[in-house]
Amino acid sequence: MVFSVAVAGASGYAGGELLRLLAAHPDFEVRTVTAHSNSGQRLVDVQPHLRSLSHLVLGDTDATALSGHDVVFLALPHGASGALTAELPASTLVVDCGADHRLESEADWAAFYGGDYFGAWAYGVPELPVDGGRQRDRLVGARRIAAPGCNASTVALALAPGILAGVIEATDIVAVLAVGPSGAGKSLKVPNLAAEILGSANPYAVGGTHRHIPEIQQSLRWAGAVAPTVSFTPVIVPMSRGILATSTARLVPGTSAAAVRAAWESAYADEPFVHLLPSGQFPRTADVLGANTALIGLAIDEAAGRVITVTAVDNLVKGTAGAAIQSANIALGLPETRGLSTNGVAP
Amino acid sequence: MVFSVAVAGASGYAGGELLRLLAAHPDFEVRTVTAHSNSGQRLVDVQPHLRSLSHLVLGDTDATALSGHDVVFLALPHGASGALTAELPASTLVVDCGADHRLESEADWAAFYGGDYFGAWAYGVPELPVDGGRQRDRLVGARRIAAPGCNASTVALALAPGILAGVIEATDIVAVLAVGPSGAGKSLKVPNLAAEILGSANPYAVGGTHRHIPEIQQSLRWAGAVAPTVSFTPVIVPMSRGILATSTARLVPGTSAAAVRAAWESAYADEPFVHLLPSGQFPRTADVLGANTALIGLAIDEAAGRVITVTAVDNLVKGTAGAAIQSANIALGLPETRGLSTNGVAP
Amino acid sequence: MVFSVAVAGASGYAGGELLRLLAAHPDFEVRTVTAHSNSGQRLVDVQPHLRSLSHLVLGDTDATALSGHDVVFLALPHGASGALTAELPASTLVVDCGADHRLESEADWAAFYGGDYFGAWAYGVPELPVDGGRQRDRLVGARRIAAPGCNASTVALALAPGILAGVIEATDIVAVLAVGPSGAGKSLKVPNLAAEILGSANPYAVGGTHRHIPEIQQSLRWAGAVAPTVSFTPVIVPMSRGILATSTARLVPGTSAAAVRAAWESAYADEPFVHLLPSGQFPRTADVLGANTALIGLAIDEAAGRVITVTAVDNLVKGTAGAAIQSANIALGLPETRGLSTNGVAP
Amino acid sequence: MVFSVAVAGASGYAGGELLRLLAAHPDFEVRTVTAHSNSGQRLVDVQPHLRSLSHLVLGDTDATALSGHDVVFLALPHGASGALTAELPASTLVVDCGADHRLESEADWAAFYGGDYFGAWAYGVPELPVDGGRQRDRLVGARRIAAPGCNASTVALALAPGILAGVIEATDIVAVLAVGPSGAGKSLKVPNLAAEILGSANPYAVGGTHRHIPEIQQSLRWAGAVAPTVSFTPVIVPMSRGILATSTARLVPGTSAAAVRAAWESAYADEPFVHLLPSGQFPRTADVLGANTALIGLAIDEAAGRVITVTAVDNLVKGTAGAAIQSANIALGLPETRGLSTNGVAP
């Protein structure tokens, strides 16, 4: 069976990546693509790398255009999907790549986003723990899925095993991320210009203001943390895509090195897309470029009393579009790995 | 008066940067440049950006070639300067850009470097506290100066004011740095190849193994810390030069935001090369490219209980060659700012 | 049927790209990977992006290891494959990604490469004209195939249609290419270091010395040129992979704009991997990153009397490994497009 | 004597570079900086790399603000300076970094720019030939100067010596340039976003449409060409600044290699800022980053019948702001090299 698919927000970076992955997926057929200002153009004129989809033309983003498909992927600005999805049939699988349905806490939503709150959907990071199982348990048969924030899911994947196993403390987590500017989308602002970013490392949202912080805390609570605190600093570096997250937490006193490594090993031993690297190895973002893989390197700094994790993901794949498709696979009863590659494009 | 200068290791990146800065210095005249495998070549054939020094030819690096100058700058591999400087007159100002004379603790040297230990010299970061004053007090009239490690001095400048003022804790410091590959020199290894670094963020020395850790701790002890602990992770990103250090420390409970900011303001209010940015502003490495400036942005993350500093330096200037010349200015009784620019080359 | 495959030179960039593509190919199974200095290591420790091949271990490159497979891909330094392939059975399909078997003229070989000459094999650019047909005619059933030089095939694809149709002159062709450093392989030389290439554009082989010049001329002669002359200048720019070739030729006087465009349209209308862009559009290398696609933009500069083509390819895919697999598909009777994507990874 | 200076357009890239250079110039003092939408802000908040000018505040750009200075530098969008300068005293030295006063031919202006034509001023590339002498002859005592287009002056400097000496043909010139995106200014368009340019080479203005073409032709006519034709293709590559121009022309038949080299040697032997590299050497843009230097490499491709020049300049320095200041030095009777460096910031 082939599932018919619509993608809203097809002219942006997340939308483009959804389409690149969907084009290689044997069970999905993209029938409808929609956009805002680019409506009416050929998709390939806006996304010139999507050669195999040159037959598609961008339409307007509205419920009429999106209805009548088995699956609808939304890659819209924050705040845009809530009202729209209310008009789509409950039987349609809707996967939202925006933030609108990620947070279970309306207070968190109000504090970090604001505007109307539309409630939380099943969270599209299948490997993360919840309710004594994994998020994938909630995704089976789901018809509403919230794809994760790229930075948030990266830090959560990095640290959840240690929280779950009780080998790291959930207070005083410190995460610093090197991120590519594609995460900011096609937003026309001076700090996003090439001349501003080439040859430079540029921090933003310093000091506890980044919107992904409550999402990280939510995932760590699902893993068992009571009141996690996270210092989170993203730094934009001159690579188009990729996240390299250095996520550290205090080692629970008295924990052996073997127990630490065992926590991550047991969490991800059977995961197709999240790989713990051998001791002494650490990942590069190039290793996961274009892939749905998260690679995690793990070290214990005894002198500093911290566990150090370094995690590489492609923000547009495992961080967004790949997570969305992986979750859709689960929801629809397809093999979880269908249509998704673990191999990066390097160098 | 013009001081005659020799530069050893003139074919490398640190040596090249020393020469670029010295060429613009009104009181220094470079008379001798030496190298190892490039000896015999015209300097400009090896360093084609140094057009104004095209009259210089590289000689061999030995005491004979270096003797007879007022100032000798050494930009040699770690371990190479100790024996060499023993042969130079005590009256010659020798500034070593290598690690050989940075650490006061022989145990630290043995643990992180190894080989013969040659003792510590005056430390070339004039703005850092020591003995109730600043390092510049020790540099006045000095004839042996150790230029700092670029990563170490960046983190030390970022956090020393908070330690000195007692507003941050010295244990459980966490620093993650985005660094350019010029810090690795011209070392011919696969991880330094352009194809490995372009488009990727690559961590190294993860987990407490980096050689700059004891140097950071030493500076923090000078600032008053008793037993500082530092989790330190450098990440190579695709920019030729620059360090962006996110250095965080626990806020001492009960400290006001005003007291925190006052600590940094009082430390650097009169410093020509270390600038605290206004509240809410954070630096980019492009802002200090080619300049002897360290820019520090400061935030308090109340929820996380941490003070966050983000500091930008050019690893080859304020991190190495600029620090060396600033320190030489002090040692020779010249104005400290002579020949050094605060303005970066951006974009 | 699944064809068993061996890849020699699996630790390099071309070898890695062959493996990335082969891992996604439904009819090939990689059973053997060999290397030189990395022999004995796990493949994934040397090529950490190839997660799906983590079961493979690198062996030594010799005829014994490579024998017994249906297909052998060679990604070895120039001069290394000639003797080796002589030991492989004639029935084995051997695809050489090196230069050893590209040139039909022993004089060209001697002038630009030197050393033993091993003769030319079927040339792995199926779309190029030869003998009134296409190179793919020669590839059907072939058991010895020379994958092209990446720069050479890019320029040849750009200009062959105009030569074939007689609308451009074959003398005084001028091609200038922006190329990524992965084309130079993992060669440990100072000009290949990241610090040398980041933030800079660096020319090399200026003035008619590049080894791909005779290969371009050979392709243009196949297209009908009598004595083509080519000014060829490659410029390394800070992107890990990609070629953007601006290839220009004099317009044959009296030729209409329609005739020019028709020449390229008729040449590539049915080609799955070589696409002529609509008038006024020009390609970017990002559009073909990771894809087996060549995108060609075409303009006529009436005032200058030249036809301008701008062509984007991924040097490691359509320029090397993708061309090798596309050619192997043809040789083995598989659909030519099997296992190869036309969609780039952008942004 | 210190000349008082105003800079209009101080918030842009060209304006920022003027200020960086002026801050290091011993005879100029910047008293006024103006902008459009950033008026009212501190200069250093918009140009955070200009630390030494942190006392300046941006005002509105109008004749009142600019009057009363010895020198006014304009870094405004094309078309904005014509009316403004009419209001400034004739005795004020006005240097325009826009295109408004570069072209002597009103027809060229109409064809490539359009809008009101304001006439040509002395052309700010002192080294170029005109009237049997150099442009610097016209700049002595001038009070209206047009700084050049960065691409145009680079190609003109590359080829004028060969035209002047009669060793290359002026018809069928082909120039392809790798350029950094800072040349496009802070224009908020999708193609200027970092995610579009990182990891990619992007052509623009292909096929004879670029506005710098008539400016190149004008310079070549000044050098003696009758009816020069130029195929000109710029390619944006991922470096913040820099131009690497591969400019080629047909060798006049029968010309010796010695005569070719002599043409360039005699043209630039005494020039402080334009250097011909030794035979076999070619420049990189890193070698001139931040410097007012143009480096030219020269080769003869006998087989192709062309002279190949490869020229590196910093588009913001020798291409714009440095040329403006060099020209102002001449106009005011200062040493031509005052305040300008020949040394690049590399790596």
Side-chain angles (χ1 to χ4, degrees):
Chain A
M1 174 184 176
V2 167
F3 297 93
S4 70
V5 173
V7 174
S11 60
Y13 293 144
E17 192 67 0
L18 280 164
L19 290 165
R20 185 180 74 85
L21 298 174
L22 290 166
H25 195 296
D27 300 310
F28 289 141
E29 182 183 325
V30 179
R31 299 226 178 115
T32 297
V33 288
T34 75
H36 182 61
S37 58
N38 294 112
S39 176
Q41 290 193 263
R42 291 198 313 156
L43 174 66
V44 78
D45 290 339
V46 179
Q47 304 274 23
H49 61 297
L50 298 177
R51 309 302 307 169
S52 78
L53 302 176
S54 55
H55 57 288
L56 295 173
V57 175
L58 292 161
D60 287 326
T61 299
D62 56 37
T64 307
L66 301 177
S67 293
H69 300 85
D70 300 313
V71 191
V72 174
F73 291 96
L74 303 174
L76 302 172
H78 300 318
S81 63
L84 184 62
T85 51
E87 300 184 61
L88 297 177
S91 62
T92 299
L93 172 56
V94 180
V95 185
D96 186 9
C97 294
D100 295 24
H101 305 94
R102 292 179 196 151
L103 296 180
E104 296 188 327
S105 158
E106 186 166 356
D108 280 348
W109 177 263
F112 283 83
Y113 291 91
D116 291 339
Y117 175 67
F118 291 95
W121 291 353
Y123 189 63
V125 188
E127 302 87 352
L128 286 177
V130 69
D131 294 342
R134 302 289 175 110
Q135 296 286 347
R136 67 167 53 86
D137 308 332
R138 292 182 171 187
L139 293 165
V140 175
R143 286 299 172 265
R144 294 291 185 270
I145 296 172
C150 54
N151 299 311
S153 61
T154 303
V155 176
L157 284 167
L159 295 179
I163 299 291
L164 188 68
V167 300
I168 57 173
E169 297 183 4
T171 47
D172 207 14
I173 286 166
V174 179
V176 180
L177 289 76
V179 302
S182 60
K186 292 189 178 176
S187 177
L188 293 176
K189 298 175 184 171
V190 169
N192 293 342
L193 292 177
E196 302 289 316
I197 288 173
L198 284 159
S200 189
N202 304 354
Y204 74 101
V206 181
T209 64
H210 197 283
R211 289 172 160 183
H212 285 186
I213 292 172
E215 190 178 334
I216 296 169
Q217 292 170 310
Q218 174 174 277
S219 288
L220 298 182
R221 283 193 303 267
W222 279 328
V226 177
T229 58
V230 181
S231 167
F232 175 89
T233 310
V235 177
I236 296 179
V237 300
M239 56 189 190
S240 60
R241 47 166 88 191
I243 295 173
L244 194 85
T246 302
S247 311
T248 80
R250 291 186 208 157
L251 180 67
V252 169
T255 310
S256 72
V260 171
R261 180 154 281 271
W264 272 261
E265 277 175 351
S266 64
Y268 296 134
D270 299 326
E271 289 296 341
F273 293 120
V274 182
H275 299 178
L276 178 66
L277 296 183
S279 181
Q281 290 189 15
F282 298 91
R284 312 172 306 169
T285 59
D287 297 333
V288 297
L289 193 144
N292 197 46
T293 313
L295 296 181
I296 303 177
L298 179 69
I300 302 169
D301 185 336
E302 299 280 0
R306 285 201 167 246
V307 171
I308 319 298
T309 63
V310 180
T311 307
V313 306
D314 183 324
N315 57 307
L316 293 176
V317 190
K318 184 59 181 160
T320 306
I325 291 171
Q326 181 185 354
S327 298
N329 284 342
I330 296 169
L332 296 169
L334 295 169
E336 186 173 333
T337 60
R338 186 66 60 87
L340 295 167
S341 175
T342 56
N343 293 336
V345 180
Chain B
M1 174 183 177
V2 168
F3 296 93
S4 70
V5 173
V7 174
S11 60
Y13 293 145
E17 192 67 0
L18 280 165
L19 290 164
R20 185 180 74 84
L21 298 173
L22 290 167
H25 195 297
D27 300 310
F28 289 141
E29 183 183 324
V30 179
R31 299 226 176 114
T32 298
V33 288
T34 73
H36 182 61
S37 58
N38 294 112
S39 176
Q41 290 194 263
R42 291 199 312 156
L43 174 66
V44 78
D45 291 339
V46 178
Q47 305 275 23
H49 61 299
L50 298 177
R51 308 303 305 171
S52 78
L53 302 176
S54 56
H55 56 288
L56 294 174
V57 174
L58 292 161
D60 288 326
T61 299
D62 55 38
T64 306
L66 301 177
S67 292
H69 301 84
D70 299 314
V71 191
V72 175
F73 291 96
L74 303 174
L76 302 171
H78 300 320
S81 63
L84 183 63
T85 50
E87 300 184 60
L88 297 176
S91 60
T92 299
L93 171 56
V94 180
V95 185
D96 185 9
C97 293
D100 295 25
H101 305 95
R102 292 179 195 150
L103 296 180
E104 295 187 327
S105 158
E106 186 165 355
D108 281 348
W109 177 263
F112 282 83
Y113 291 91
D116 291 340
Y117 176 65
F118 292 94
W121 291 352
Y123 190 63
V125 187
E127 302 86 354
L128 285 177
V130 68
D131 293 343
R134 302 290 174 109
Q135 296 286 347
R136 66 166 55 84
D137 307 332
R138 293 184 171 186
L139 292 165
V140 176
R143 286 299 172 265
R144 293 291 185 272
I145 295 172
C150 54
N151 299 310
S153 61
T154 303
V155 176
L157 285 167
L159 295 179
I163 299 291
L164 189 68
V167 299
I168 57 172
E169 298 182 3
T171 48
D172 207 14
I173 286 166
V174 179
V176 180
L177 289 76
V179 301
S182 60
K186 292 189 177 175
S187 177
L188 293 175
K189 298 174 183 172
V190 168
N192 293 341
L193 292 177
E196 302 289 314
I197 287 172
L198 284 160
S200 188
N202 304 355
Y204 74 101
V206 180
T209 64
H210 197 282
R211 288 172 161 184
H212 285 186
I213 292 173
E215 190 178 336
I216 296 169
Q217 292 170 311
Q218 174 175 277
S219 288
L220 298 182
R221 284 194 302 266
W222 281 327
V226 177
T229 59
V230 181
S231 167
F232 175 90
T233 310
V235 176
I236 295 179
V237 301
M239 56 189 189
S240 59
R241 46 165 89 190
I243 295 173
L244 194 84
T246 302
S247 310
T248 80
R250 290 186 209 157
L251 181 66
V252 169
T255 310
S256 72
V260 170
R261 181 155 279 273
W264 272 261
E265 277 174 350
S266 65
Y268 297 134
D270 299 326
E271 289 295 341
F273 294 121
V274 182
H275 300 178
L276 178 66
L277 296 183
S279 182
Q281 290 189 14
F282 298 90
R284 313 171 305 169
T285 59
D287 297 333
V288 298
L289 192 143
N292 197 47
T293 314
L295 297 180
I296 303 176
L298 178 69
I300 302 170
D301 186 335
E302 298 280 0
R306 285 203 166 243
V307 171
I308 319 297
T309 63
V310 180
T311 306
V313 306
D314 184 324
N315 57 308
L316 293 177
V317 190
K318 184 59 180 159
T320 306
I325 291 171
Q326 181 184 354
S327 298
N329 284 342
I330 296 169
L332 296 169
L334 296 169
E336 186 172 332
T337 61
R338 187 65 60 86
L340 295 167
S341 176
T342 56
N343 293 336
V345 181
Chain C
M1 174 184 176
V2 167
F3 296 93
S4 69
V5 172
V7 173
S11 60
Y13 293 144
E17 192 67 2
L18 280 164
L19 290 164
R20 186 181 73 85
L21 298 173
L22 289 166
H25 195 297
D27 301 311
F28 289 139
E29 182 183 325
V30 179
R31 300 223 177 116
T32 298
V33 289
T34 74
H36 182 61
S37 57
N38 295 110
S39 176
Q41 290 194 263
R42 290 198 314 156
L43 175 66
V44 78
D45 290 340
V46 179
Q47 305 275 22
H49 60 299
L50 298 177
R51 309 303 305 170
S52 78
L53 302 177
S54 55
H55 56 288
L56 295 174
V57 174
L58 292 161
D60 289 324
T61 299
D62 55 37
T64 306
L66 300 176
S67 292
H69 300 85
D70 299 314
V71 191
V72 174
F73 291 96
L74 303 174
L76 303 172
H78 300 318
S81 63
L84 184 62
T85 52
E87 300 183 60
L88 298 175
S91 61
T92 299
L93 172 56
V94 181
V95 185
D96 185 11
C97 294
D100 297 24
H101 305 95
R102 292 179 195 150
L103 295 180
E104 295 187 327
S105 159
E106 188 167 355
D108 280 348
W109 177 264
F112 283 83
Y113 291 90
D116 292 339
Y117 175 67
F118 291 95
W121 292 352
Y123 189 65
V125 188
E127 302 86 353
L128 285 177
V130 69
D131 295 342
R134 302 289 175 111
Q135 295 286 347
R136 69 166 52 84
D137 307 332
R138 292 182 171 187
L139 292 165
V140 175
R143 286 300 171 265
R144 294 290 184 272
I145 295 172
C150 54
N151 299 309
S153 61
T154 303
V155 175
L157 285 167
L159 295 179
I163 299 290
L164 189 67
V167 301
I168 57 172
E169 296 183 5
T171 48
D172 208 14
I173 287 166
V174 178
V176 180
L177 290 76
V179 302
S182 60
K186 291 189 178 175
S187 177
L188 293 175
K189 298 174 184 172
V190 169
N192 293 342
L193 292 177
E196 303 288 315
I197 287 172
L198 283 159
S200 188
N202 303 355
Y204 74 101
V206 181
T209 64
H210 196 283
R211 288 171 160 183
H212 285 186
I213 292 173
E215 190 177 334
I216 296 169
Q217 292 170 311
Q218 174 174 279
S219 287
L220 298 182
R221 283 193 303 266
W222 279 329
V226 177
T229 58
V230 181
S231 167
F232 175 90
T233 310
V235 176
I236 296 179
V237 301
M239 56 189 189
S240 60
R241 45 166 90 191
I243 295 173
L244 194 85
T246 302
S247 311
T248 80
R250 290 186 209 157
L251 181 66
V252 169
T255 309
S256 72
V260 170
R261 181 154 280 273
W264 272 261
E265 277 175 351
S266 64
Y268 297 133
D270 299 326
E271 289 296 340
F273 293 121
V274 183
H275 300 179
L276 178 66
L277 297 182
S279 183
Q281 289 188 14
F282 299 91
R284 312 171 306 169
T285 59
D287 297 332
V288 297
L289 193 143
N292 198 46
T293 313
L295 297 180
I296 303 176
L298 179 69
I300 302 170
D301 185 337
E302 298 280 0
R306 285 200 166 246
V307 171
I308 318 297
T309 63
V310 180
T311 306
V313 306
D314 183 324
N315 57 306
L316 293 176
V317 190
K318 184 58 180 161
T320 305
I325 291 170
Q326 182 185 352
S327 299
N329 284 343
I330 296 170
L332 296 169
L334 296 168
E336 186 172 333
T337 60
R338 188 65 62 85
L340 295 167
S341 175
T342 57
N343 294 337
V345 181
Chain D
M1 173 184 177
V2 167
F3 297 94
S4 70
V5 173
V7 174
S11 60
Y13 293 144
E17 192 68 0
L18 280 165
L19 290 164
R20 186 180 73 85
L21 298 173
L22 289 167
H25 195 296
D27 300 310
F28 289 140
E29 182 183 326
V30 179
R31 299 225 177 114
T32 298
V33 288
T34 74
H36 182 61
S37 57
N38 294 112
S39 177
Q41 290 193 263
R42 290 198 314 156
L43 174 66
V44 78
D45 290 339
V46 180
Q47 305 274 23
H49 61 298
L50 298 177
R51 309 303 305 170
S52 78
L53 302 176
S54 55
H55 57 288
L56 295 174
V57 174
L58 292 161
D60 289 325
T61 299
D62 56 37
T64 306
L66 300 177
S67 292
H69 300 84
D70 299 313
V71 192
V72 174
F73 291 95
L74 304 173
L76 303 171
H78 300 318
S81 63
L84 184 63
T85 51
E87 299 184 62
L88 297 176
S91 61
T92 299
L93 172 56
V94 180
V95 185
D96 185 9
C97 295
D100 296 25
H101 304 96
R102 291 179 195 151
L103 295 180
E104 295 187 326
S105 158
E106 186 165 355
D108 280 348
W109 177 264
F112 283 83
Y113 291 91
D116 292 338
Y117 175 66
F118 291 94
W121 291 352
Y123 189 65
V125 188
E127 302 86 352
L128 285 177
V130 67
D131 295 341
R134 302 289 175 110
Q135 297 285 348
R136 67 166 55 83
D137 307 332
R138 293 183 171 187
L139 293 165
V140 175
R143 286 299 172 266
R144 293 293 185 272
I145 295 172
C150 54
N151 298 311
S153 61
T154 303
V155 176
L157 284 168
L159 296 178
I163 299 291
L164 188 69
V167 300
I168 58 172
E169 298 182 5
T171 49
D172 208 14
I173 286 166
V174 178
V176 180
L177 289 76
V179 302
S182 61
K186 292 189 177 175
S187 178
L188 293 175
K189 298 175 183 170
V190 169
N192 293 342
L193 292 177
E196 302 289 315
I197 287 173
L198 284 160
S200 188
N202 303 356
Y204 74 100
V206 180
T209 64
H210 197 282
R211 288 170 160 185
H212 285 186
I213 292 173
E215 190 178 334
I216 296 169
Q217 292 170 311
Q218 175 175 278
S219 288
L220 298 182
R221 283 194 302 267
W222 280 328
V226 177
T229 59
V230 181
S231 167
F232 176 91
T233 310
V235 176
I236 295 179
V237 301
M239 56 188 189
S240 60
R241 47 166 87 191
I243 296 173
L244 194 86
T246 302
S247 311
T248 80
R250 290 186 209 157
L251 181 66
V252 168
T255 309
S256 71
V260 170
R261 182 154 277 272
W264 272 261
E265 278 175 350
S266 64
Y268 296 134
D270 299 325
E271 289 296 342
F273 293 120
V274 183
H275 300 178
L276 178 66
L277 296 182
S279 183
Q281 290 189 14
F282 299 91
R284 313 172 305 170
T285 59
D287 297 332
V288 298
L289 193 144
N292 197 46
T293 313
L295 297 180
I296 304 177
L298 179 68
I300 301 170
D301 186 335
E302 298 280 1
R306 286 202 166 244
V307 171
I308 319 298
T309 63
V310 180
T311 306
V313 306
D314 184 323
N315 57 308
L316 292 177
V317 190
K318 184 59 181 161
T320 305
I325 290 170
Q326 181 185 354
S327 298
N329 284 342
I330 296 170
L332 296 169
L334 296 169
E336 187 172 333
T337 59
R338 187 66 60 87
L340 295 167
S341 175
T342 56
N343 294 336
V345 181

